[in-house]
């Protein structure tokens, strides 16, 4: 793979200066942050790859929308606009605004999991897992085995393992499973795509056993671009058509609008069943606000209505996925191991391979994230055992399938030279990899601990 950069299909109209610290200053800042990158002040970060969530740059049309946003409590103009855009794009008859993806999970999952014991997904994202557990159920992951081999090529490493899914359903009892979730793209497996064929097969299995089928839709547009590239049946389809095929017959979806809808805040719930939608509306009113704004301000709703449309533009998606492929090609040249082929929103560096001397319980991916900050002021994060946390029953540290340091790329924010800085930093770190030490946790909360835990180098 040769590094080829697809030019930005936009030009820059407004800029935000970056602060550049010295290595000594960075050493001090990361120690003060207890070696948890979530505790760093953003102003002390040069290239912020912590997440692609809510960090995208809005377009001129979106900023114009911010001025147009109708802030009426009930029935604002922007409410009708976003309803129209979302129903057209996803094809589900009922959509509800909420303030972000986990709010969608908080509202929807307890409805689906009422009286049930399990949720099964290709892979649960961390907040989805947390909301399954808060609803009193257990979250089971069922991704294809190809996802576990980070170097082998496979078109759709995000797919559900359908045979294993059926075995789980038979073992656990269909009546105990509240929902089968398809996360697109599969974030925790490295932003890996799921084929439309696999989505259809999973949905058919769910429905055959009378189980609800839900899509965790945060990166529905990036997934659809991969489908166009890799699933021959869809090579001549538009992104809009692929999105419709993806959501066809899904019972519901939960979505963070902070990813592919390119807004800084927002979420959506979609459902087909009128009775479920009634419950969704009731819970939205208690947790989020009245149904026509659902925890969002009118200006943000207006920007979302526009972002939904810009997010499925094929030229934008070509550039967007092109950035990942460029960075991946540079890392490949430099001999840095990563989840390959690269996913849609991030490069997942394989810290288990880069730092083989650090065991999972000393958090190699976290160690690499700290090192990237020291090296070049880059903020990345652990998607591995540090994020996975402890077994809810035994309290013991779980071993994750992967130890990834995630370089999430914000949408329309960084340029080719920023990507080069990232690649060069990793190549420098590789040179001295055997000197890098693991970490231990000295303080942690019981749930979603990676956001606030304090660490010390060993
Ligand atoms: C981001 C994300 C969520 C949660 O959304 P927030 O807006 O961060 O609350 C859920 N699922 C997936 C796959 C995500 O990427």
């Amino acid at each position: 793979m040769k590094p080829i950069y697809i030019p930005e299909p936009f030009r820059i109209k407004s800029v935000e200066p970056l602060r550049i610290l010295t290595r000594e200053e960075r050493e001090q800042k990361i120690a003060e942050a207890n070696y948890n990158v979530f505790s760093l002040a953003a102003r002390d970060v040069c290239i912020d790859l912590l997440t692609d969530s809510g960090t995208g740059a809005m377009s001129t049309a979106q900023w114009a929308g911010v001025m147009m946003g109708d802030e009426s409590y009930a029935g604002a103009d922007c409410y009708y606009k976003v309803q129209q855009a979302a129903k057209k794009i996803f094809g589900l008859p009922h959509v509800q605004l909420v303030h972000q993806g986990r709010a969608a999970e908080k509202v929807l999952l307890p409805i689906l999991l009422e009286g049930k014991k399990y949720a099964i997904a290709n892979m649960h994202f961390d907040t989805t897992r947390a909301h399954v557990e808060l609803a009193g159920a257990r979250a089971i992951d069922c991704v294809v085995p190809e996802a576990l081999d980070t170097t082998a090529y496979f078109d759709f490493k995000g797919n559900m393992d359908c045979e294993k899914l059926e075995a789980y359903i038979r073992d656990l009892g269909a009546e105990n499973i509240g929902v089968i979730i398809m996360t697109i793209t599969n974030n925790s497996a490295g932003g890996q795509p799921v084929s439309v064929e696999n989505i259809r097969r999973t949905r058919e299995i769910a429905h055959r056993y009378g189980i609800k089928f839900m899509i965790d839709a945060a990166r529905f547009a990036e997934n659809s671009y991969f489908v166009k590239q890799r699933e021959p049946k869809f090579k001549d389809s538009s992104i809009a058509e692929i999105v419709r095929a993806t959501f066809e017959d899904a019972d519901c979806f939960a979505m963070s609008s902070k990813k592919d809808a390119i807004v800084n805040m927002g979420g959506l719930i979609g459902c087909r069943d009128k009775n479920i939608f009634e419950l969704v509306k009731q819970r939205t009113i208690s947790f989020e606000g009245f149904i026509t704004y659902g925890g969002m301000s009118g200006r943000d709703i207006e920007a979302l209505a526009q972002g939904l449309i810009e997010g499925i533009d094929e030229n934008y998606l070509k550039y967007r996925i092109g950035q990942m492929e460029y960075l991946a090609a540079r890392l490949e040249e430099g001999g840095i191991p990563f989840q390959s082929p690269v996913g849609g929103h991030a490069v997942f560096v394989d810290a288990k391979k880069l730092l083989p001397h650090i065991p999972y319980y000393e958090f190699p991916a976290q160690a690499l994230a700290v090192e990237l900050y020291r090296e070049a002021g880059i903020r990345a994060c652990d998607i591995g055992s540090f994020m996975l946390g402890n077994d809810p029953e035994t309290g013991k540290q779980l071993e994750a399938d992967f130890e990834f340091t995630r370089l999430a790329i914000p949408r329309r924010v960084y340029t080719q030279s920023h990507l080069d800085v990232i690649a060069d930093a990793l190549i420098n770190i590789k040179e001295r990899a055997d000197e890098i030490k693991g970490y231990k946790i000295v303080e942690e909360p019981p749930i979603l601990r990676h956001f606030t835990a304090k660490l010390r180098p060993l």
Side-chain angles (χ1 to χ4, degrees):
M1 198 161 58
K2 252 186 64 197
I4 296 167
Y5 194 83
I6 310 280
E8 283 79 6
F10 51 81
R11 55 186 175 176
I12 296 166
K13 190 168 197 168
S14 176
V15 298
E16 193 179 2
L18 293 173
R19 234 159 60 95
I20 318 270
L21 301 184
T22 64
R23 182 178 282 264
E24 291 68 39
E25 287 169 324
R26 292 197 296 268
E27 290 284 354
Q28 191 194 336
K29 298 289 181 191
I30 194 69
E32 284 166 10
N34 291 295
Y35 303 94
N36 187 330
V37 293
F38 286 95
S39 302
L40 284 169
R43 68 195 303 272
D44 297 331
V45 174
C46 183
I47 301 178
D48 204 343
L49 311 180
L50 190 60
T51 176
D52 63 318
S53 178
T55 53
M58 294 209 294
S59 66
T60 47
Q62 285 179 295
W63 280 113
V66 167
M67 284 308 294
M68 297 295 294
D70 175 353
E71 305 297 344
S72 304
Y73 191 93
D77 255 2
C78 48
Y79 164 74
Y80 297 104
K81 205 180 262 185
V82 81
Q83 286 274 323
Q84 195 188 13
K87 285 179 190 173
K88 181 164 174 233
I89 290 170
F90 301 109
L92 274 79
H94 308 293
V95 288
Q96 175 60 57
L97 288 162
V98 288
H99 84 277
Q100 65 181 96
R102 69 199 69 185
E105 292 161 357
K106 181 184 176 185
V107 166
L108 183 60
L109 284 172
I111 298 171
L112 303 174
L113 290 169
E114 161 114 71
K116 305 284 182 176
K117 292 195 185 123
Y118 303 99
I120 306 179
N122 51 345
M123 282 182 93
H124 293 81
F125 180 65
D126 57 352
T127 61
T128 321
R129 178 179 303 279
H131 279 291
V132 166
E133 285 169 9
L134 286 168
R138 253 202 98 127
I140 296 173
D141 289 346
C142 191
V143 72
V144 289
E146 286 86 347
L148 302 180
D149 185 347
T150 60
T151 52
Y153 187 91
F154 188 64
D155 277 336
F156 293 103
K157 282 187 171 180
N159 277 0
M160 182 80 80
D161 183 336
C162 288
E163 264 102 71
K164 198 163 154 197
L165 173 65
E166 282 213 70
Y168 269 131
I169 296 173
R170 282 192 299 266
D171 286 354
L172 304 172
E175 68 284 2
N176 294 318
I177 302 166
V179 61
I180 291 172
I181 303 169
M182 192 62 108
T183 308
I184 60 169
T185 56
N186 189 334
N187 190 347
S188 312
Q192 293 294 317
V194 178
S195 71
V196 167
E197 197 225 42
N198 186 258
I199 293 169
R200 284 185 174 151
R201 223 179 122 199
T202 302
R203 187 194 67 223
E204 277 158 19
I205 293 169
H207 287 171
R208 182 153 22 95
Y209 288 94
I211 304 167
K212 292 273 182 287
F213 177 68
M214 167 183 146
I215 295 180
D216 180 348
R219 297 181 183 79
F220 73 100
E222 289 167 7
N223 198 78
S224 299
Y225 183 78
F226 281 119
V227 165
K228 187 174 166 83
Q229 298 304 302
R230 299 182 186 172
E231 202 169 346
K233 201 174 152 196
F234 293 97
K235 72 179 196 321
D236 298 321
S237 306
S238 68
I239 300 296
E241 286 163 351
I242 298 169
V243 173
R244 288 298 284 260
T246 300
F247 287 80
E248 176 189 77
D249 282 337
D251 295 297
C252 41
F253 70 83
M255 185 176 108
S256 170
S257 306
K258 302 168 68 173
K259 289 40 177 280
D260 278 3
I262 330 179
V263 288
N264 304 119
M265 191 52 72
L268 277 180
I269 297 170
C271 43
R272 242 172 248 288
D273 183 305
K274 208 165 159 292
N275 298 323
I276 292 181
F277 187 54
E278 282 309 315
L279 296 171
V280 164
K281 284 195 287 190
Q282 285 165 26
R283 289 176 60 87
T284 299
I285 291 172
S286 11
F287 293 134
E288 294 288 292
F290 186 61
I291 51 170
T292 64
Y293 72 89
M296 292 181 70
S297 37
R299 50 184 168 272
D300 287 340
I301 298 173
E302 189 79 26
L304 170 59
Q306 174 66 20
L308 280 168
I309 295 163
E310 291 179 15
I312 57 173
D313 178 86
E314 196 175 328
N315 283 326
Y316 154 71
L317 287 167
K318 185 176 174 194
Y319 140 80
R320 164 81 181 147
I321 305 299
Q323 277 205 323
M324 305 309 141
E325 289 173 347
Y326 173 79
L327 180 55
R330 283 235 36 216
L331 296 185
E332 196 170 276
E333 266 184 353
I336 308 293
F338 60 91
Q339 170 68 293
S340 173
V342 69
H345 67 288
V347 176
F348 287 66
V349 179
D350 190 339
K352 207 190 270 190
K353 285 213 175 77
L354 193 65
L355 306 172
H357 56 289
I358 304 180
Y360 73 93
Y361 50 84
E362 292 174 6
F363 314 123
Q366 176 65 14
L368 181 58
V370 171
E371 223 50 41
L372 270 167
Y373 180 72
R374 283 204 175 105
E375 179 70 27
I378 296 163
R379 175 155 67 172
C381 77
D382 172 290
I383 304 275
S385 297
F386 178 54
M387 183 184 95
L388 186 60
N390 300 319
D391 187 300
E393 274 154 30
T394 67
K396 272 179 64 178
Q397 174 65 49
L398 292 163
E399 179 175 5
D401 291 330
F402 317 102
E403 302 294 344
F404 286 140
T405 303
R406 186 181 74 173
L407 313 170
I409 310 294
R411 291 170 181 76
R412 310 191 286 206
V413 171
Y414 293 115
T415 62
Q416 181 174 12
S417 36
H418 291 114
L419 300 187
D420 286 329
V421 170
I422 300 162
D424 294 339
L426 277 161
I427 292 164
N428 288 345
I429 291 169
K430 182 176 181 253
E431 301 292 304
R432 54 178 172 81
D434 53 354
E435 293 162 25
I436 296 166
K437 303 252 168 20
Y439 285 80
K440 69 165 188 240
I441 295 177
V442 291
E443 220 181 289
E444 63 181 315
I447 212 159
L448 294 178
R449 64 137 186 234
H450 60 290
F451 290 126
T452 53
K454 295 180 178 170
L455 300 111
R456 289 287 174 273
L458 285 159

